[in-house]
């Protein structure tokens, strides 16, 4: 079974609109962490935002926020006021257990921002 | 400060040859990870080093793959007798390590490996 599922292979959004990228996860651990990374066409992986399983508030970092619904096991990334530079692949990833552990990645969503 | 450094950035080699990929993590990061990204795919975990502990090798796809980390810093991923299916981008990441689960992994720019 997939640990991380990203159901949107591609999304097209108009500049300045908000966009939600979906991520659902599967784990039996009580302690886990969820990460979102951005990968532009240049290839580097850029960390965007983190949500811990015990965090009571949804994480926010600038224009990025995470809609964390623990009971549904979903951790959707919301980008407000999208910009042309947001066009990239977006990966959701999970760390199971506490401490530095490997990440399990989803297949990614390719986001294209249209002017 | 300097980020994660990987070399070479590109490597083209013939099937059957051995290759070595190098990763220099961020200074002070005790955890180091290797991942593989095939064309258009997500990242696949290969191996993880944490301080002086035995590495987690659970993601290595075959015994042709090995990695070491010397002095708790630089790591080398070695692929012996390369096959065409080994063609991928190999990404290295580092993080602050044990007990810092909320700290992100910082990635290098990767080594693009092409097997002819």
């Amino acid at each position: 079974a997939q640990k991380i599922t990203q159901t949107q292979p591609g999304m097209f959004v108009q500049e300045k609109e908000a966009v939600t990228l979906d991520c659902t996860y599967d784990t039996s651990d009580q302690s886990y962490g969820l990460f979102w990374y951005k990968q532009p066409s240049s290839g580097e992986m850029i960390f965007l935002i983190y949500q811990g399983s015990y965090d009571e508030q949804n994480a926010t970092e600038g224009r990025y926020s995470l809609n964390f619904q623990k009971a549904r096991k979903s951790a959707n990334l919301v980008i407000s006021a999208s910009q042309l530079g947001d066009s990239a692949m977006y990966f959701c990833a999970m760390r199971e257990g506490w401490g530095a552990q490997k990440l399990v990645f989803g297949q990614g969503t390719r986001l294209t921002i249209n002017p | 400060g300097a980020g994660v450094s990987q070399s070479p950035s590109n490597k083209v080699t013939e099937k059957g040859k051995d290759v070595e990929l190098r990763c220099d993590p961020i200074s002070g990061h005790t955890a180091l990870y290797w991942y593989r990204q095939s064309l258009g795919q997500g990242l696949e975990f290969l191996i993880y080093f944490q301080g002086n502990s035995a590495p987690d090798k659970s993601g290595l796809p075959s015994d042709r793959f090995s990695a070491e980390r010397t002095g708790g810093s630089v790591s080398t991923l070695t692929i012996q007798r390369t096959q065409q299916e080994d063609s991928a981008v190999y990404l290295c990441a580092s993080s602050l390590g044990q007990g810092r689960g909320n700290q992100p992994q910082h990635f290098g720019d990767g080594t693009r490996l092409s097997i002819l």
Side-chain angles (χ1 to χ4, degrees), chain A residues 28-107:
Chain A
S28 56
D29 282 359
Q30 296 300 307
S31 176
Y32 54 88
L34 297 155
F35 299 78
W36 277 91
Y37 284 85
K38 172 183 178 181
Q39 188 177 42
S41 57
S42 52
E44 72 268 33
M45 293 287 286
I46 302 167
F47 165 72
L48 296 178
I49 196 166
Y50 166 83
Q51 180 84 42
S53 58
Y54 294 119
D55 293 343
E56 295 184 350
Q57 306 244 352
N58 285 344
T60 59
E61 289 286 350
R63 294 187 298 113
Y64 304 108
S65 60
L66 208 151
N67 183 359
F68 181 47
Q69 298 189 39
K70 195 170 180 177
R72 290 187 173 187
K73 293 188 175 179
S74 75
N76 299 338
L77 177 70
V78 180
I79 306 174
S80 63
S82 57
Q83 302 171 356
L84 296 178
D86 294 334
S87 294
M89 282 288 285
Y90 288 80
F91 291 99
C92 179
M94 177 173 63
R95 181 214 75 238
E96 292 182 286
W98 184 247
Q101 302 281 351
K102 65 185 179 185
L103 294 179
V104 176
F105 284 82
Q107 293 295 92

Side-chain angles (χ1 to χ4, degrees), chain B residues 15-30:
Chain B
K15 176 182 170 182
K17 300 284 189 183
D18 297 353
V19 295
E20 284 191 351
L21 311 180
R22 176 188 167 103
C23 173
D24 199 344
I26 293 172
S27 178
H29 282 191
T30 60

Side-chain angles (χ1 to χ4, degrees), chain B:
Chain B
V4 177
S5 177
Q6 290 188 247
S7 61
S9 53
N10 284 282
K11 177 73 175 179
V12 180
T13 192
E14 293 180 348
K15 176 182 170 182
K17 300 284 189 183
D18 297 353
V19 295
E20 284 191 351
L21 311 180
R22 176 188 167 103
C23 173
D24 199 344
I26 293 172
S27 178
H29 282 191
T30 60
L32 186 148
Y33 312 79
W34 284 97
Y35 295 87
R36 177 168 72 173
Q37 185 174 28
S38 302
L39 187 64
Q41 299 296 309
L43 277 72
E44 171 192 17
F45 166 77
L46 297 176
I47 188 168
Y48 153 55
F49 296 89
Q50 169 55 55
N52 295 322
S53 302
D56 176 356
K57 304 179 182 180
S58 60
L60 294 179
S62 78
D63 59 8
R64 296 186 295 104
F65 288 72
S66 63
E68 63 177 19
R69 188 177 185 192
T70 53
S73 181
V74 172
S75 176
T76 303
L77 177 68
T78 301
I79 309 173
Q80 296 179 312
R81 305 180 303 281
T82 52
Q83 303 293 315
Q84 287 187 330
E85 61 263 27
D86 299 335
S87 295
V89 176
Y90 290 81
L91 288 160
C92 177
S94 70
S95 70
L96 283 170
Q98 199 72 36
R100 307 287 191 103
N102 62 339
Q103 295 299 311
Q105 295 179 19
H106 298 271
F107 285 80
D109 289 340
T111 293
R112 183 175 299 276
L113 177 63
S114 300
I115 309 300
L116 302 179

